[in-house]
Amino acid sequence: MYKFNLTNPLAGSMMIGMACLSCAPKQQNKTPYNIVFIMTDDHTAQMMSCYDNRFIQTPNLDRIAADGVRFTNSFVANSLSGPSRACMITGKHSCGNLFYDNTTCVFDGSQQTFPKLLSKAGYQTALIGKWHLESLPTGFDYWQIVPGQGDYYNPDFITMQNDTIQKPGYLTNSPADDAIDWIDRRDEEKPSCILVRHKAIHRNWLADTTHLTMFEDMKIDLPETFYDDYKGRPAAAAQEMSIAKDMDLVYDLKVQTPGRESRLSERYYSYIDRMNPEERAAWDRFYNPIAEDFEKRNLSGKELAEWKYDRYMKDYMKVVYSLDQNVGRLLDYLEEEGLLKNTLVVYTSDQGFYMGEHGWFDKRFMYEESFHTPLIMRLPDGFERRGDIDQMVQNIDYAPTFLELAGVEVPGDIHGKSLVPLLKGENPEDWRTSLYYHFYEFPAEHMVKRHFGVRTDRYKLIHFYRDINQWEFYDLQNDPHELVNLYGNPEYQDQIDMAKKELLKLQEQYNDPIRFTVTE
Ligand code: SGN
Ligand code: CA
């Protein structure tokens, strides 16, 4: 089975978790639970030390997992920002909430969402940060969002009055301040639910100027699959998200040599022109020598690809560092105010991300790195489960989880399953044994073809369609990096047939209008 973690810092606490597998909350809290739901963008488990110790230490995120649980098999339904956000807020697959992709869809804000249902049950609700669903938020008592993808520097925010305001400084610092401010002035008589949404760690990884020099001395190994040749996988070969080929020297890697032009250099300068003079001076002081050194070296081929990988990893880590610090600030505040005992704190991302695996950055594919998403929860008093939860969970499960936690009946049209039984340490016999996935954004940036598929604990079947008709089948136990497409291999015919049946069953269950027929 695929595992992200090389080491498991929670191994000790896992024993505690296993020892109380059947612990139900000792007593129902008299006051309803509060929910702090932190979500980041493109933050992948490889870059969180509670999942993977190879790269960056994230002590504050690790605090969440250490005082609660780490999901080791947490997945998305459609690996892209807007669609993931729609899945989370509705508890439905994309075919149920009708937000299929970032480029053509506008979220229908009149539909049922968990904040609206919580609100009806007496919760006060707030949303702060990146929303990315095109229409303005509905059903929150308070919101303040960044337009579209947002800007890292001196960012604009859209207010509830539909005004645009600009805030000085670095974006990642802002949602923690705003969340603390909102929690501070909440009505203490009512339970609350706040969605804190960071732009970090989204492309093009512009770090806080105070953290630029961090991680520079690190020696970073290439992932095993960096030079994948995509043999037997034409859809994987057709993508445009290769570090070597598609990563832009100026926009992504900050080679800001005067006169060097690139497809995206104009956008790069429009972003860094938002900095104030001090920030910009610090930026130039750091990146100019890197650009000069790069120009002198005249790299090509593998040397160039590896130089790009190294710069990508280092910039990404600097952005993670700010995020971790700001999560820590929010946790400290909740602790100091005595709120943690009655609050579920959830941390997740809109999807996983490639950190050079298969030679890539970005996400979209149903392959493990971008199908997975980190999910850790700090549990309130009454929930004694600790350590790892290994059942397969998906981002459509968060909405029913919050509803059950709040004592609200989960509507029958929600596709997800409440995670509360797992948080109580139960081991439900009827837990799902397969997951459904469907990605639609094609043709579009990065050119990942449309596909749907099914994953069990051991196998994965994917069908790429539209301008291609290609099946892939993987045995995750023997081939965790998904390099050998077994589709058509007679030794696996029974498993392939079973996976096809399961896929069709899920497409019917979720009423996805785009299906295959069993004769295919
Ligand atoms: C932007 C990025 C893409 C990224 C999408 C979707 N390009 O368009 O690299 O895949 O967002 O990301 S950029 O040139 O604008 O940086 S998502 O996380 O919002 O879905
Ligand atoms: Ca994203």
Side-chain angles (χ1 to χ4, degrees):
M1 208 194 313
Y2 189 87
K3 283 274 180 230
F4 275 118
N5 55 312
L6 294 182
T7 54
N8 179 2
L10 301 178
S13 51
M14 208 169 89
M15 298 306 291
I16 304 169
M18 286 168 65
C20 65
L21 268 183
S22 60
C23 298
K26 282 212 177 107
Q27 53 173 68
Q28 265 313 328
N29 273 33
K30 285 180 205 79
T31 45
Y33 293 109
N34 301 312
I35 298 160
V36 173
F37 180 15
I38 309 169
M39 195 191 108
T40 47
D41 203 287
D42 295 354
H43 191 196
T44 191
Q46 300 94 300
M47 305 306 263
M48 286 169 72
S49 46
C50 58
Y51 278 103
D52 189 330
N53 250 322
R54 287 175 300 170
F55 307 111
I56 184 172
Q57 292 303 307
T58 50
N60 292 297
L61 295 172
D62 296 3
R63 272 162 73 187
I64 298 179
D67 290 335
V69 293
R70 175 181 83 152
F71 288 83
T72 56
N73 281 299
S74 152
F75 297 87
V76 295
N78 180 357
S79 185
L80 203 60
S81 165
S84 278
R85 291 159 200 273
C87 291
M88 288 183 203
I89 208 154
T90 61
K92 294 177 185 170
H93 277 280
S94 305
C95 58
N97 63 53
L98 307 184
F99 195 96
Y100 297 103
D101 62 55
N102 285 341
T103 43
T104 66
C105 296
V106 176
F107 186 70
D108 171 7
S110 69
Q111 66 185 297
Q112 169 184 285
T113 63
F114 79 78
K116 285 184 192 169
L117 294 167
L118 288 180
S119 203
K120 254 196 225 158
Y123 270 68
Q124 51 201 322
T125 58
L127 159 74
I128 286 161
K130 181 175 172 183
W131 167 243
H132 209 204
L133 285 175
E134 298 304 321
S135 53
L136 290 179
T138 56
F140 292 94
D141 297 316
Y142 175 79
W143 56 263
Q144 194 169 100
I145 58 170
V146 297
Q149 297 280 9
D151 274 295
Y152 278 114
Y153 276 90
N154 299 307
D156 289 338
F157 282 82
I158 307 173
T159 69
M160 286 181 82
Q161 292 71 38
N162 211 356
D163 290 333
T164 299
I165 56 169
Q166 191 174 24
K167 296 191 188 177
Y170 185 63
L171 176 58
T172 305
N173 299 327
S174 187
D177 286 337
D178 294 346
I180 291 169
D181 184 52
W182 184 80
I183 296 170
D184 236 2
R185 58 189 163 79
R186 78 194 185 286
D187 176 354
E188 291 190 23
E189 298 302 308
K190 287 178 167 183
S192 63
C193 171
I194 182 165
L195 279 52
V196 185
R197 302 299 202 227
H198 286 272
K199 170 192 174 72
I201 329 299
H202 197 272
R203 193 180 179 193
N204 53 342
W205 315 291
L206 303 184
D208 187 331
T209 50
T210 58
H211 302 141
L212 288 174
T213 55
M214 295 182 78
F215 310 105
E216 285 298 312
D217 296 333
M218 249 177 103
K219 159 100 185 65
I220 304 170
D221 292 333
L222 286 180
E224 266 177 66
T225 58
F226 189 73
Y227 289 114
D228 189 355
D229 61 4
Y230 317 121
K231 193 163 156 256
R233 289 160 290 145
Q239 81 355 97
E240 294 179 2
M241 47 191 253
S242 142
I243 291 177
K245 290 207 298 286
D246 305 304
M247 207 167 237
D248 191 274
L249 277 173
V250 182
Y251 181 77
D252 292 309
L253 301 163
K254 294 100 186 172
V255 180
Q256 45 181 39
T257 312
R260 180 182 268 283
E261 287 293 321
S262 79
R263 191 172 56 85
L264 294 170
S265 48
E266 206 175 305
R267 268 177 68 202
Y268 172 74
Y269 289 106
S270 77
Y271 293 165
I272 66 167
D273 282 349
R274 298 182 69 93
M275 294 177 187
N276 70 31
E278 292 76 40
E279 289 162 345
R280 181 58 187 271
W283 189 266
D284 291 345
R285 251 194 327 273
F286 179 74
Y287 283 109
N288 282 348
I290 292 176
E292 278 163 32
D293 175 64
F294 174 80
E295 301 295 355
K296 268 192 229 139
R297 289 213 232 169
N298 212 8
L299 302 171
S300 62
K302 284 192 170 179
E303 275 186 342
L304 176 59
E306 290 172 25
W307 184 89
K308 285 177 152 189
Y309 168 73
D310 188 67
R311 292 297 336 146
Y312 163 49
M313 293 291 283
K314 286 175 177 163
D315 284 351
Y316 187 104
M317 283 192 269
K318 298 171 215 259
V319 181
V320 173
Y321 181 81
S322 286
L323 185 267
D324 184 69
Q325 294 275 301
N326 277 281
V327 169
R329 247 168 13 94
L330 184 52
L331 289 175
D332 289 345
Y333 166 82
L334 295 171
E335 194 166 9
E336 280 155 21
E337 295 295 310
L339 292 170
L340 281 177
K341 59 183 183 319
N342 199 38
T343 301
L344 173 74
V345 182
V346 176
Y347 181 86
T348 189
S349 171
D350 60 347
Q351 14 61 209
F353 211 69
Y354 295 93
M355 303 308 305
E357 298 89 355
H358 303 285
W360 297 337
F361 64 104
D362 216 64
K363 52 264 176 175
R364 297 162 192 268
F365 280 108
M366 196 192 167
Y367 303 133
E368 291 295 90
E369 291 82 354
S370 52
F371 186 22
H372 269 274
T373 197
L375 179 65
I376 50 179
M377 296 188 187
R378 191 200 182 283
L379 302 182
D381 285 1
F383 287 83
E384 280 154 35
R385 182 76 168 90
R386 294 291 180 271
D388 284 353
I389 293 183
D390 296 327
Q391 276 94 342
M392 288 194 289
V393 305
Q394 205 162 22
N395 57 0
I396 51 172
D397 298 336
Y398 311 161
T401 304
F402 301 148
L403 294 174
E404 185 178 348
L405 194 82
V408 178
E409 196 181 332
V410 178
D413 61 348
I414 282 190
H415 294 158
K417 281 168 86 80
S418 166
L419 304 175
V420 168
L422 305 181
L423 301 179
K424 285 180 184 169
E426 292 167 12
N427 192 6
E429 276 180 18
D430 62 347
W431 194 256
R432 68 161 74 81
T433 52
S434 66
L435 291 166
Y436 182 56
Y437 181 84
H438 199 154
F439 173 81
Y440 304 80
E441 196 178 82
F442 179 89
E445 195 175 5
H446 302 304
M447 297 302 273
V448 173
K449 299 198 185 285
R450 292 188 188 205
H451 57 290
F452 51 69
V454 62
R455 183 197 193 276
T456 64
D457 63 346
R458 174 148 183 197
Y459 298 109
K460 188 185 289 181
L461 176 74
I462 314 178
H463 178 54
F464 291 91
Y465 69 95
R466 199 169 192 265
D467 62 337
I468 184 172
N469 179 12
Q470 175 74 21
W471 288 89
E472 295 185 4
F473 187 76
Y474 297 99
D475 179 343
L476 299 171
Q477 191 174 298
N478 294 332
D479 177 25
H481 298 310
E482 300 162 292
L483 299 174
V484 184
N485 178 9
L486 296 168
Y487 193 80
N489 180 328
E491 279 176 38
Y492 282 85
Q493 200 51 52
D494 288 350
Q495 286 89 340
I496 293 169
D497 289 344
M498 264 159 57
K500 274 197 176 172
K501 271 198 199 122
E502 188 64 20
L503 175 59
L504 192 60
K505 192 191 95 189
L506 293 177
Q507 292 189 317
E508 281 165 1
Q509 181 183 327
Y510 299 130
N511 202 17
D512 191 336
I514 303 176
R515 301 182 195 177
F516 75 103
T517 50
V518 260
T519 52
E520 268 186 74

